[in-house]
Amino acid sequence: MSDPIGLLQQPVTFPFSGRTAKNRFLKSAMSERLATFSTFYPPGRGRPTEELVRLYETWAKGDIGSSHPILLKHSNRIFKGIIVTGNIQIKKDHLEATGNTIVDRDLPSNYPEDWAEVARAAKSEGSLVIGQLNHPGRQVSINIQPYPEAPSDVEHPSTGGVLYGRPTPLTIAGINDIVQRFAYAASVLYKAGFDGIQVKFRLQHRTSPSLNQLQLHAAHGYLLSQFLAKSTNMRRDEYGGSLINRTRILLEIVEAIKQAVQNPCFIISVKLNSQDFTQEGINVEESIMVAELLENAGVDFIEVSGGTYAQTIYNSRDKPYSVETREGYFIQFAELLRPHLKFSKIVVTGGFRTAHGMSDAVSQGATDMIGLARPLTAEPHLVRDILRGEKNKVKDDKFPDSPLLRFVASAAQIAEIGNGQDITDFDNAFNVARFIAIMQKEIPATISEALF
Ligand SMILES: Cc1cc2nc3c(=O)[nH]c(=O)nc-3n(C[C@H](O)[C@H](O)[C@H](O)COP(=O)(O)O)c2cc1C
């Protein structure tokens, strides 16, 4: 029988940057919401805090990097993977949530020294650090931004009591401005010591009894996904209509980042972040074409993942296609994608819960790396423990079947780590009951209906 840990310790070299992750683990993006925020004074938003630095220091120690004497004694390899930050916004008044980090070229300062501290913390044990960049487009609560911008004026339907403003369609000049903002933010992070950038791009999958009928669909996502989705992109110019037109902004961003950074060793990646399962959508062929376009554009790896918000894949009533039999919600999609990519690596994130499930996914060739998110908020040192052979599965939890609740619990654990507090153990039924009681009190009834 193959050695599962040994496989997960193998390095991966990225085709375009030539950079190497020294093991098969990637800490997937999780919005930290630990930056400064001011409602009325946008320049006071988005600055990295001490808490953010502490969070990345903690993940660096356990996430993948380890100077543990036993490991070093048995091998001269150093076991380090990739840490991706939570989404960083490129415009101070277009946030995904309050407390987001921001790198906006209009701000008087983007705090390069603070970002250098974040990079130092995340890299302190040898991991590569990648900053995830984002613009929410129309998908932002009306309380945060009543006047969102988007490809077309298609309003986001209200979800769980959250209302959204009617977006203003971006002009061509506005689109060019956004492309340059992504590039600018990448260059700020590059100068601060980041090893690469990830652009978040949400797709929506449609589950089907037959794999051949599997549909992928982009809607309800952030700005770049709103360009891809026909339902949110009604444009008649070169950014709407054909698939290539709808992907154009993403490809321009990749090119602009290369121009701004001017270092071929800078990693560029894209997260195809799926959300829920709907009837509409682009088909598998089209989604694979998007991935091929990204490979042609020089994207080092494509992370395939699952949703995080209300109607997500984590709902057992609506399970994704591969979770019943294997770990990794998106393994089947990754398998379809794999033969079409000659160079770009694939990272599958979502649903990995055992060391064997992780190593099987790698050994069967569906994915090059294993992305982990929620398990790393409960146990920030999980990867280190798996690589040492001290753990073979992630911590369980006692939550009822509520995807959003588990999401909020992870967000709470992120805040605890950032604040240097003990992490709440949700494998303890009392802690879960107390957490649910607090949530019911603190959040509006409509959202709580969506949660419970
Ligand atoms: C608290 C929290 C915040 C998240 N924030 C982001 C984000 O900023 N960007 C992103 O692409 N995905 C985000 N995700 C999704 C995760 O990266 C990941 O795709 C998802 O949780 C599935 O992986 P898991 O089963 O290992 O948790 C977030 C998830 C959680 C739980």
Side-chain angles (χ1 to χ4, degrees):
M1 207 175 108
S2 68
D3 162 22
I5 305 305
L7 194 60
L8 296 170
Q9 287 169 346
Q10 299 300 313
V12 184
T13 298
F14 296 109
F16 300 108
S17 65
R19 303 295 297 275
T20 298
K22 293 185 180 129
N23 68 30
R24 299 302 178 112
F25 284 101
L26 174 140
K27 184 233 139 241
S28 193
M30 279 184 281
S31 185
E32 311 91 357
R33 303 179 189 182
L34 289 175
T36 56
F37 181 75
S38 160
T39 308
F40 302 110
Y41 184 61
R45 299 175 179 179
R47 181 176 183 172
T49 57
E50 238 174 72
E51 289 76 16
L52 191 73
V53 172
R54 187 178 296 116
L55 176 68
Y56 282 100
E57 242 156 23
T58 310
W59 271 324
K61 286 199 187 95
D63 176 57
I64 322 164
S66 169
S67 52
H68 188 260
I70 298 178
L71 270 186
L72 294 180
K73 204 170 122 199
H74 290 293
S75 169
N76 54 11
R77 267 178 297 158
I78 313 167
F79 302 101
K80 324 280 178 184
I82 297 181
I83 293 180
V84 183
T85 66
N87 63 163
I88 301 164
Q89 312 308 311
I90 55 145
K91 262 183 142 171
K92 63 184 180 314
D93 33 28
H94 291 271
L95 304 182
E96 171 244 4
T98 56
N100 280 156
T101 46
I102 303 168
V103 179
D104 178 335
R105 65 176 174 180
D106 291 344
L107 284 172
S109 169
N110 278 296
Y111 309 106
E113 61 294 343
D114 297 340
W115 281 110
E117 260 302 281
V118 175
R120 181 206 57 73
K123 293 168 72 158
S124 57
E125 299 286 329
S127 302
L128 295 169
V129 61
I130 289 185
Q132 188 186 69
L133 299 178
N134 187 42
H135 181 309
R138 67 175 194 160
Q139 188 168 296
V140 51
S141 155
I142 203 164
N143 298 330
I144 299 177
Q145 176 49 274
Y147 308 107
E149 52 189 20
S152 304
D153 58 353
V154 184
E155 202 173 304
H156 194 298
S158 73
T159 50
V162 180
L163 299 176
Y164 301 86
R166 189 171 187 81
T168 304
L170 279 157
T171 59
I172 297 279
I175 292 174
N176 293 339
D177 175 66
I178 282 173
V179 170
Q180 292 312 318
R181 283 169 180 276
F182 271 92
Y184 172 83
S187 71
V188 168
L189 296 178
Y190 167 67
K191 285 180 201 141
F194 280 65
D195 301 295
I197 279 301
Q198 181 171 79
V199 180
K200 181 174 172 172
F201 195 57
R202 188 178 293 264
L203 290 174
Q204 289 192 317
H205 289 209
R206 157 118 179 90
T207 190
S208 158
S210 151
L211 201 57
N212 295 332
Q213 291 166 21
L214 174 73
Q215 298 277 303
L216 293 179
H217 158 68
H220 306 296
Y222 296 117
L223 184 76
L224 303 180
S225 321
Q226 292 157 29
F227 272 91
L228 181 66
K230 284 184 189 146
S231 55
T232 47
N233 183 346
M234 308 291 168
R235 302 181 74 94
R236 291 170 176 271
D237 58 13
E238 64 266 39
Y239 294 94
S242 66
L243 183 70
I244 181 83
N245 278 359
R246 286 177 280 127
T247 315
R248 189 177 306 282
I249 183 169
L250 180 60
L251 299 174
E252 287 181 351
I253 287 170
V254 170
E255 192 46 43
I257 289 173
K258 285 193 204 160
Q259 294 302 324
V261 170
Q262 287 290 322
N263 182 345
C265 301
F266 195 63
I267 298 169
I268 301 182
S269 68
V270 170
K271 184 172 184 185
L272 298 181
N273 199 5
S274 322
Q275 194 173 15
D276 64 356
F277 297 82
T278 69
Q279 295 299 327
E280 306 163 39
I282 62 169
N283 59 30
V284 173
E285 286 74 33
E286 279 185 307
S287 68
I288 288 173
M289 276 166 64
V290 172
E292 286 172 334
L293 289 168
L294 293 173
E295 177 174 77
N296 288 338
V299 167
D300 263 326
F301 70 88
I302 294 175
E303 185 182 351
V304 179
S305 182
T308 52
Y309 307 112
Q311 321 87 357
T312 74
I313 55 155
Y314 311 129
N315 193 326
S316 64
R317 287 187 300 277
D318 205 4
K319 277 222 165 88
Y321 29 89
S322 64
V323 78
E324 302 291 355
T325 48
R326 294 151 72 192
E327 288 183 39
Y329 301 139
F330 294 97
I331 284 290
Q332 270 180 288
F333 173 58
E335 281 171 344
L336 291 175
L337 183 58
R338 166 66 89 198
H340 296 271
L341 297 182
K342 291 187 198 70
F343 307 107
S344 300
K345 302 292 179 192
I346 298 178
V347 180
V348 175
T349 297
F352 286 106
R353 299 299 179 256
T354 68
H356 261 104
M358 297 170 197
S359 72
D360 282 355
V362 174
S363 70
Q364 288 161 11
T367 183
D368 296 292
M369 297 184 81
I370 301 296
L372 293 171
R374 290 166 297 168
L376 293 176
T377 65
E379 299 173 286
H381 297 173
L382 173 71
V383 169
R384 183 195 64 191
D385 296 344
I386 288 178
L387 290 176
R388 284 179 185 176
E390 290 171 3
K391 286 209 77 150
N392 56 22
K393 63 180 182 64
V394 313
K395 198 176 189 50
D396 214 345
D397 67 64
K398 298 273 188 300
F399 281 105
D401 195 10
S402 163
L404 195 54
L405 191 52
R406 187 63 194 81
F407 172 82
V408 180
S410 271
Q413 288 172 325
I414 287 174
E416 288 170 344
I417 302 169
N419 287 312
Q421 295 161 346
D422 290 341
I423 300 171
T424 303
D425 178 4
F426 290 116
D427 197 16
N428 173 315
F430 174 77
N431 289 343
V432 169
R434 192 174 52 180
F435 184 75
I436 291 175
I438 293 170
M439 287 296 108
Q440 275 169 333
K441 221 187 268 171
E442 283 192 358
I443 56 182
T446 35
I447 298 183
S448 118
E449 267 166 36
L451 276 177
F452 304 106

